[in-house]
Amino acid sequence: MAGIPTAAASSVAVCRRLLAIERSFPAMKYLSSSTSSSKCYSSGGWNTLRRRTTMLPSRKLVIRASRVESEGVSLGFRAPEFELPEPLTGKVWKLDDFDSYPALLVMFICNHCPFVKHLKHDIVKLSNFYMKKGLAVVAISSNSVTTHPQDGPDFMAQDAKIFKYPFPYLYDESQDVARSFGAVCTPEFFLFKKDGRRPFELVYHGQFDDSRPSNNMRVTGRDLSLAIDSVLSGQPVSSVQKPSVGCSIKWKPEG
């Protein structure tokens, strides 16, 4: 039994010697743990030596919907002609159907986009309020059903029923109408005014308001409401306009 302390002492001495060598030659710390220097005796038994490692701070993965801003379409731009079906009723609507109105709001929206969902109830409220004052309103969905089938015509009709859209919600299957307007995101708002027999001319191409799905700001519709108020009262619309922010229009895959 007397030899055991001697063996233990010897093991400790060897361990210390190996550690000293490892400090002198840092590359040795990358040797396999099967070598004798990878273990050291303690009163509790054999413990694997802790290798020096650098702990990187953990990163939380955050997935966000792509954000796109409406691009600069020149004010004074004339409303392009369109002829599109309304999935809910089957009726085909044309730009000429709104010819008798003093102002026309064209909105590019869709079913799935979180930026649109954030505003849907308030878009309906704003539309109901201003349609009674003489504003014409139409919504268009141009998203590809190949990539986003939830934005297809059947689901559009359901959405129109659920949210009680007071305006026609039209399906731009070819996406030609979105391109002719220069639309790039959902939601995107184009407000046109009409003076007498002249064509509709763009006076506002901006955001609904400053509220976004993640910024905790109350939805007010302030920016768009001010523009509509100006048009319906015959006043000029401010040229200082913040772009709308939303999901990109889902263009058809090439080929």
Side-chain angles (χ1 to χ4, degrees):
M1 297 296 293
I4 294 177
T6 302
S10 176
S11 297
V12 172
V14 171
C15 178
R16 288 175 178 169
R17 179 77 177 272
L18 289 172
L19 289 173
I21 294 172
E22 186 175 276
R23 292 191 188 98
S24 300
F25 300 95
M28 287 191 66
K29 66 183 179 181
Y30 298 104
L31 294 176
S32 169
S33 60
S34 63
T35 62
S36 59
S37 62
S38 66
K39 293 183 178 180
C40 186
Y41 182 80
S42 69
S43 59
W46 292 86
N47 292 331
T48 301
L49 290 175
R50 294 181 180 176
R51 300 188 180 191
R52 296 177 182 177
T53 57
T54 302
M55 298 298 292
L56 296 175
S58 61
R59 293 183 179 180
K60 185 177 181 180
L61 181 63
V62 179
I63 299 176
R64 298 184 177 90
S66 59
R67 294 164 57 102
V68 176
E69 289 188 356
S70 57
E71 297 179 344
V73 177
S74 299
L75 298 180
F77 166 74
R78 290 185 176 181
E81 297 288 339
F82 61 81
E83 187 173 339
L84 295 172
E86 181 183 13
L88 179 63
T89 64
K91 179 180 177 179
V92 175
W93 291 78
K94 302 177 183 179
L95 178 65
D96 291 344
D97 292 323
F98 305 99
D99 197 54
S100 62
Y101 292 85
L104 169 64
L105 174 63
V106 179
M107 307 178 290
F108 285 85
I109 63 173
C110 67
N111 296 349
H112 87 277
C113 175
F115 290 90
V116 177
K117 288 182 175 181
H118 180 63
L119 299 177
K120 278 184 182 179
H121 287 289
D122 291 275
I123 286 174
V124 170
K125 289 179 183 178
L126 180 143
S127 298
N128 276 321
F129 179 78
Y130 284 108
M131 287 173 71
K132 294 175 183 177
K133 292 178 175 289
L135 177 71
V137 181
V138 61
I140 299 172
S141 177
S142 302
N143 279 358
S144 167
V145 296
T146 302
T147 59
H148 291 73
Q150 65 269 47
D151 289 334
D154 290 341
F155 294 105
M156 289 174 60
Q158 291 179 20
D159 228 40
K161 283 184 179 179
I162 292 170
F163 290 93
K164 298 180 179 178
Y165 286 167
F167 45 77
Y169 185 22
L170 312 183
Y171 179 42
D172 177 24
E173 182 178 10
S174 69
Q175 303 185 320
D176 289 341
V177 174
R179 289 190 177 92
S180 66
F181 273 81
V184 296
C185 65
T186 57
E188 188 164 355
F189 303 95
F190 296 80
L191 177 63
F192 298 89
K193 76 169 183 177
K194 195 173 191 302
D195 291 327
R197 300 180 64 180
R198 296 182 62 184
F200 282 112
E201 294 183 351
L202 186 68
V203 292
Y204 182 79
H205 180 223
Q207 65 177 9
F208 194 75
D209 58 26
D210 288 322
S211 182
R212 304 289 182 263
S214 58
N215 69 4
N216 296 319
M217 294 185 68
R218 187 169 65 90
V219 178
T220 63
R222 181 179 183 275
D223 295 57
L224 183 55
S225 294
L226 287 173
I228 297 173
D229 284 335
S230 296
V231 171
L232 295 181
S233 63
Q235 300 299 313
V237 178
S238 172
S239 60
V240 179
Q241 302 174 7
K242 296 179 182 179
S244 186
V245 176
C247 306
S248 62
I249 287 180
K250 310 310 179 194
W251 304 107
K252 293 180 179 180
E254 294 184 4

